[in-house]
Amino acid sequence: DRFLMTAEAYNIPSVLLFTKTDLYDGPLTPILEELESIYSPIYPCYRTSVTTGAGIPEKATLLKDKVSLIIGISGTGKSSLINRIEPGLQLKTGAISNYHLQGKHTTTFYEMFPLSEGGFIIDSPGIRGFGLVDMKKDELFHFFPEIFKTAAGCAYYNCLHDAEPGCAVKEALEKGLIHPSRYRSYLHTLRENDSKYRS
C-alpha cells in the first residue's frame, strides 16, 4: 500500500503483478484469490509465473513503448520476470535464503534497460522498508483511490475518515464497498508518527 500511495501521489499508473503463481496451489490458492479480491477493483492485477511462462506475453505487451519500473520486496522474482520478458538481458537472479526464508539482494542498484519491442524497463533492488515523504495528514486519503472517491459524500470537507460523524467512507466500509484491510492500512498511516503528518 505504501508503494501504491507514493505512485498515486506522483500520478504514476500502477499495475499489480502476482508473481510465482505456480507455487499457489492447494491451501495457498485462497490467499492469492483474497489479494486479487482486494486490489482488482482498484488496480489492474495480473498473475505471472516465470517457471511456466503464464502471463509473460501479456506483460510484454503491457510494457511496450512505456518506461516501467518493477518494484517490490526481495525474492519476489523481479529480475527473473524481466529475464523472461527480455531474455537477452540475462540479469543476475538469486534463490530465497533457506536460513531467513527471505529474498537475497541480487540487484543492488536501479538500472534501466531498453526493450526490443519498444520502451524501457527499470530493475530495482529489493526493498524491505518504504517510508512516506512530504505527505500531509489531511491529504493521505487522496492516495487511496477508493477512499478518495467515496470521501466526496462526507458531511464535512475536512473529514479524516476516522472518528468524524457523517463519514461516507465509514458507511461504505460497513456496506463492504471498501475492503477492511485497505481501510486499516489507511488508518495505520494516518495515526503513525502523527507529528510527521501535521497539516
Side-chain angles (χ1 to χ4, degrees), residues 6 9 16 19 26 60 85 91-92 112:
T6 301
L16 297 186
T19 59
I85 292 170
L91 302 181
K92 182 180 178 183
M112 185 163 69

mmCIF file of all heavy atoms in Angstrom, residues 6 9 16 19 26 60 85 91-92 112:
data_model
loop_
_atom_site.group_PDB
_atom_site.id
_atom_site.type_symbol
_atom_site.label_atom_id
_atom_site.label_comp_id
_atom_site.label_asym_id
_atom_site.label_seq_id
_atom_site.Cartn_x
_atom_site.Cartn_y
_atom_site.Cartn_z
ATOM 1 N N THR A 6 2.507 6.160 -2.871
ATOM 2 C CA THR A 6 3.523 7.034 -3.451
ATOM 3 C C THR A 6 3.295 7.204 -4.951
ATOM 4 O O THR A 6 3.419 8.313 -5.489
ATOM 5 C CB THR A 6 4.927 6.469 -3.178
ATOM 6 O OG1 THR A 6 5.107 6.373 -1.758
ATOM 7 C CG2 THR A 6 6.009 7.377 -3.757
ATOM 8 N N ALA A 9 0.507 9.595 -5.419
ATOM 9 C CA ALA A 9 0.909 10.971 -5.113
ATOM 10 C C ALA A 9 1.598 11.641 -6.296
ATOM 11 O O ALA A 9 1.516 12.861 -6.461
ATOM 12 C CB ALA A 9 1.824 10.985 -3.894
ATOM 13 N N LEU A 16 -0.485 -4.310 -10.539
ATOM 14 C CA LEU A 16 -0.003 -5.300 -9.585
ATOM 15 C C LEU A 16 0.237 -6.621 -10.293
ATOM 16 O O LEU A 16 -0.641 -7.130 -10.987
ATOM 17 C CB LEU A 16 -1.016 -5.506 -8.459
ATOM 18 C CG LEU A 16 -1.310 -4.302 -7.573
ATOM 19 C CD1 LEU A 16 -2.226 -4.704 -6.422
ATOM 20 C CD2 LEU A 16 -0.046 -3.693 -7.031
ATOM 21 N N THR A 19 3.474 -12.640 -8.787
ATOM 22 C CA THR A 19 4.493 -13.494 -9.382
ATOM 23 C C THR A 19 4.515 -14.872 -8.723
ATOM 24 O O THR A 19 3.911 -15.090 -7.671
ATOM 25 C CB THR A 19 5.881 -12.841 -9.243
ATOM 26 O OG1 THR A 19 6.153 -12.624 -7.843
ATOM 27 C CG2 THR A 19 5.931 -11.498 -9.970
ATOM 28 N N GLY A 26 -3.381 -25.565 -3.849
ATOM 29 C CA GLY A 26 -3.896 -26.131 -2.600
ATOM 30 C C GLY A 26 -4.261 -25.054 -1.600
ATOM 31 O O GLY A 26 -5.021 -24.128 -1.897
ATOM 32 N N ALA A 60 4.642 -8.453 -21.524
ATOM 33 C CA ALA A 60 5.494 -7.830 -22.535
ATOM 34 C C ALA A 60 4.700 -6.796 -23.328
ATOM 35 O O ALA A 60 5.185 -5.695 -23.616
ATOM 36 C CB ALA A 60 6.077 -8.896 -23.454
ATOM 37 N N ILE A 85 10.822 -11.680 -19.984
ATOM 38 C CA ILE A 85 10.281 -10.714 -20.943
ATOM 39 C C ILE A 85 11.330 -10.337 -21.979
ATOM 40 O O ILE A 85 11.039 -10.205 -23.168
ATOM 41 C CB ILE A 85 9.764 -9.460 -20.203
ATOM 42 C CG1 ILE A 85 8.530 -9.830 -19.359
ATOM 43 C CG2 ILE A 85 9.435 -8.333 -21.168
ATOM 44 C CD1 ILE A 85 8.079 -8.738 -18.417
ATOM 45 N N LEU A 91 19.864 -10.890 -16.585
ATOM 46 C CA LEU A 91 20.091 -10.256 -15.292
ATOM 47 C C LEU A 91 20.376 -11.307 -14.230
ATOM 48 O O LEU A 91 19.845 -12.416 -14.270
ATOM 49 C CB LEU A 91 18.870 -9.430 -14.871
ATOM 50 C CG LEU A 91 18.429 -8.321 -15.839
ATOM 51 C CD1 LEU A 91 17.225 -7.595 -15.260
ATOM 52 C CD2 LEU A 91 19.568 -7.350 -16.104
ATOM 53 N N LYS A 92 21.215 -10.946 -13.270
ATOM 54 C CA LYS A 92 21.554 -11.862 -12.186
ATOM 55 C C LYS A 92 20.337 -12.086 -11.296
ATOM 56 O O LYS A 92 19.629 -11.150 -10.935
ATOM 57 C CB LYS A 92 22.707 -11.276 -11.353
ATOM 58 C CG LYS A 92 23.173 -12.184 -10.224
ATOM 59 C CD LYS A 92 24.313 -11.526 -9.451
ATOM 60 C CE LYS A 92 24.761 -12.396 -8.280
ATOM 61 N NZ LYS A 92 25.816 -11.739 -7.474
ATOM 62 N N MET A 112 18.253 0.859 -15.893
ATOM 63 C CA MET A 112 17.245 0.892 -16.949
ATOM 64 C C MET A 112 17.772 0.197 -18.203
ATOM 65 O O MET A 112 18.926 0.399 -18.598
ATOM 66 C CB MET A 112 16.849 2.335 -17.275
ATOM 67 C CG MET A 112 15.720 2.445 -18.291
ATOM 68 S SD MET A 112 14.933 4.081 -18.322
ATOM 69 C CE MET A 112 16.256 5.073 -19.013
#
